[in-house]
């Protein structure tokens, strides 16, 4: 697991993996914050099962409290970035943390830009 | 009818031929003759003006030849009885015939085993052909009639007639005249008509069956990738673009299958009845209670595969094993 993490970090380092598509290729993430967010997402995916199980032990009334305290300590010992609450849904193109529409994963400014150029399918200027 | 006529002819021919003193060589000549005779018959049939009677006569003649073969093989026994018996039997050879064949082979001066095997082969072939003829006679007559119908009209007229028939008749009623005309077409087409049996069927043997290497090497894979990359043309139209996307996985396959990545082939009982995985846990106590709740929740979860559920349970087992000493203190 450590080797895999190292490999990923080396390969990432602000770079996106080479994609086979012939269109526009962005060879870097937009900024470091976006890269950190990507790392958090990856770790959250890896530790998701474990977190779920430990939380199942913690959040019930049947098991003895001592066991639950031990579980508390265990979950705190996991890497901090494995927590899913630390993930921020940033804009995919500009890495803007606020004003992001979840359906398109774009910030409001980018979304407006593309919608006006008729590059977002099914989106039209509202008029009623 | 024609069948009775043919049977009468058979009797006459066998009675007339009777016992013969030909050897194996003559028989072999006879075997070579019948396909040739068949060919000649067919070439004769292909002539422009062929009358129905002549056709029947030719058919009878071919039948007689086959009967002669049979007569040659068994001069001692009654001909027609045996043939009818043989036909009635169907595929397996009549043991009487086999005995007769062996008797004939023993009586002849040449290589006995060879002659016997040849005779048996002849018998089998003969029975096959007689069966085929018995079944296929009506069809032959039909072909004859269709052939004659074609020859009466000139092709130009025929084409005009068929086109008129197609135009006039609407969708529902086009079937009848078209079938007849298609039949007449078939008699002229490449695939229709009687088989001449001149060429033996080329057996398409899997010669290169075991030629492949057990596992393709890296160089082979690279080569294959290179070829694929070179030959991959950019899509000419929207359809090809969509095909490419489907292959890459960008576009889903239609009609949309809701269980694309999820179906692991496990039955519903494997998902629901997870009690058997609870054998590693103590029967009483809060842990058992907790695990039963876990199992209840997992059985209601449609999004996990059976493997994932079992992994969850196993993790809990391991966890409680590790904490056993700690639990004993409590």
């Amino acid at each position: 697991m450590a080797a895999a993490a190292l490999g990923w970090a080396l390969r990432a380092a602000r770079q996106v993996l080479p994609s086979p598509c012939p269109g526009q290729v962005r060879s870097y993430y937009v900024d470091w914050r976006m890269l950190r967010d990507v790392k958090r997402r990856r770790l959250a995916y890896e530790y998701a099962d474990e977190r779920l199980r430990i939380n199942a032990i913690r959040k019930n009334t049947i098991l003895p409290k001592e066991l639950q305290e031990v579980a508390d300590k265990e979950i705190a010992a996991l890497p901090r970035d494995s927590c899913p609450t630390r993930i921020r849904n940033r804009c995919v193109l500009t890495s803007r943390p606020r004003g992001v529409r979840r359906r398109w994963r774009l910030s409001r400014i980018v979304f407006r830009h593309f919608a006006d150029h008729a590059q977002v399918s099914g989106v039209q200027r509202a008029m009623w | 009818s024609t069948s009775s006529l043919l049977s009468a002819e058979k009797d006459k021919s066998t009675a007339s031929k009777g016992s013969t003193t030909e050897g194996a060589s003559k028989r072999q000549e006879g075997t070579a003759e019948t396909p040739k005779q068949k060919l000649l018959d067919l070439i004769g049939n292909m002539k422009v003006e062929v009358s129905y009677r002549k056709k029947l006569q030719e058919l009878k003649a071919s039948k007689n030849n086959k009967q002669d073969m049979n007569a040659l093989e068994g001069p001692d026994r009654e001909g027609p009885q045996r043939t009818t018996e043989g036909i009635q039997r169907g595929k397996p050879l009549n043991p009487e015939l086999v005995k007769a064949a062996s008797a004939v082979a023993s009586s002849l001066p040449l290589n006995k085993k060879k002659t016997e095997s040849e005779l048996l082969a002849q018998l089998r072939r003969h029975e096959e052909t007689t069966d085929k003829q018995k079944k296929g006679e009506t069809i032959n007559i039909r072909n004859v009639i269709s052939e004659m119908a074609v020859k009466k009209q000139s092709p130009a007229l025929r084409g005009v007639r068929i086109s008129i028939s197609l135009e006039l008749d609407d969708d529902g009623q086009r079937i009848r005249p078209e079938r007849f005309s298609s039949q007449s077409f078939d008699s002229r087409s490449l695939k229709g008509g009687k088989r001449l049996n001149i060429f033996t069927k080329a057996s398409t043997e899997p010669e290169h069956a075991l030629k492949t290497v057990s596992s393709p090497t890296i160089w082979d894979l690279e080569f294959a990738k290179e070829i694929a990359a070179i030959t991959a043309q950019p899509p000419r139209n929207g359809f090809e673009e969509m095909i490419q996307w489907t292959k890459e996985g960008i576009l889903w396959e239609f009609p949309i299958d809701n269980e694309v990545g999820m179906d692991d082939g496990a039955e519903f009982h494997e998902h629901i009845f997870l009690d058997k995985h609870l054998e590693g846990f103590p029967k009483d106590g809060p842990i058992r209670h907790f695990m039963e709740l876990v199992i209840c929740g997992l059985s209601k979860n449609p999004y996990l595969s059976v493997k994932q559920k079992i992994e969850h349970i196993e993790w809990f087992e391991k966890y409680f094993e590790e904490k056993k000493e700690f639990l004993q203190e409590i």
Side-chain angles (χ1 to χ4, degrees), chain B residues 70-84:
Chain B
N70 206 9
L72 285 169
E73 285 146 19
D76 303 325
R77 306 283 183 132
E78 297 100 358
Q81 234 187 41
R82 211 184 332 116
T83 54
T84 48

Side-chain angles (χ1 to χ4, degrees), chain B residues 312-324:
Chain B
H312 276 297
I313 298 169
E314 278 172 8
W315 184 91
F316 275 116
E317 210 177 314
K318 218 173 32 169
Y319 184 81
F320 288 125
E321 277 292 317
E322 283 168 16
K323 306 286 182 231
K324 217 173 189 178

Side-chain angles (χ1 to χ4, degrees), chain B residues 48 147-163 184-185 188:
Chain B
V48 178
E147 265 191 309
M148 284 163 37
V150 167
K151 280 152 196 162
K152 275 179 188 169
Q153 299 170 5
S154 65
L157 268 174
R158 175 177 34 137
V160 167
R161 197 175 178 224
I162 286 161
S163 66
S184 64
F185 271 122
R188 290 288 198 190

Side-chain angles (χ1 to χ4, degrees), chain B residues 111-304:
Chain B
N111 190 4
K112 287 174 191 178
K113 295 233 167 163
K114 196 181 172 188
T115 51
E116 195 182 355
S117 61
E118 278 178 5
L119 283 171
L120 289 169
Q122 260 297 316
L123 268 173
R124 272 199 207 90
R125 254 181 280 157
H126 165 71
E127 283 202 28
E128 275 176 36
T129 48
T130 45
D131 283 344
K132 264 190 239 171
Q133 275 242 331
K134 277 265 165 180
K135 286 169 201 169
E137 263 205 56
T138 48
I139 299 168
N140 285 341
I141 290 167
R142 217 180 279 159
N143 280 343
V144 165
I145 293 164
S146 65
E147 265 191 309
M148 284 163 37
V150 167
K151 280 152 196 162
K152 275 179 188 169
Q153 299 170 5
S154 65
L157 268 174
R158 175 177 34 137
V160 167
R161 197 175 178 224
I162 286 161
S163 66
I164 287 167
S165 71
L166 283 170
E167 274 174 3
L168 287 175
D169 296 344
D170 281 308
D171 295 337
Q173 290 151 15
R174 205 203 291 174
I175 298 164
R176 248 203 192 168
E178 210 185 73
R179 207 195 287 157
F180 194 70
S181 62
S182 70
Q183 264 189 353
S184 64
F185 271 122
D186 276 336
S187 70
R188 290 288 198 190
S189 69
L190 283 171
K191 295 197 182 160
K194 254 195 284 184
R195 279 185 161 266
L196 295 177
N197 289 327
I198 302 169
F199 304 106
T200 51
K201 203 170 183 184
S203 58
T204 54
E205 283 167 11
E207 289 169 10
H208 309 286
L210 299 166
K211 213 178 172 188
T212 53
V213 189
S214 57
S215 70
T217 63
I218 297 169
W219 304 115
D220 289 336
L221 289 168
E222 281 300 315
F223 188 55
K225 275 187 215 169
E226 214 181 294
I227 289 172
I230 288 164
T231 55
Q233 298 293 328
R236 293 176 295 177
N237 52 36
F239 289 118
E240 291 196 4
E241 197 184 29
M242 283 202 275
I243 291 168
Q244 206 175 334
W245 285 343
T246 312
K247 279 186 199 163
E248 284 173 32
I250 296 166
L251 200 60
W252 285 346
E253 283 179 279
F254 295 95
I256 290 176
D257 181 18
N258 279 325
E259 295 170 2
V260 168
M262 286 205 315
D263 181 34
D264 56 349
E267 298 286 314
F268 72 97
H269 56 85
E270 288 171 49
H271 276 94
I272 293 170
F273 301 115
L274 297 161
D275 252 347
K276 52 180 178 282
H277 303 293
L278 274 191
E279 280 161 15
F281 293 93
K283 297 254 175 170
D284 278 328
I287 293 178
R288 183 79 183 195
H289 187 30
F290 172 73
M291 284 316 294
E292 276 172 12
L293 283 175
V294 164
I295 273 171
C296 177
L298 283 176
S299 68
K300 292 185 191 174
N301 190 336
Y303 302 108
L304 296 178

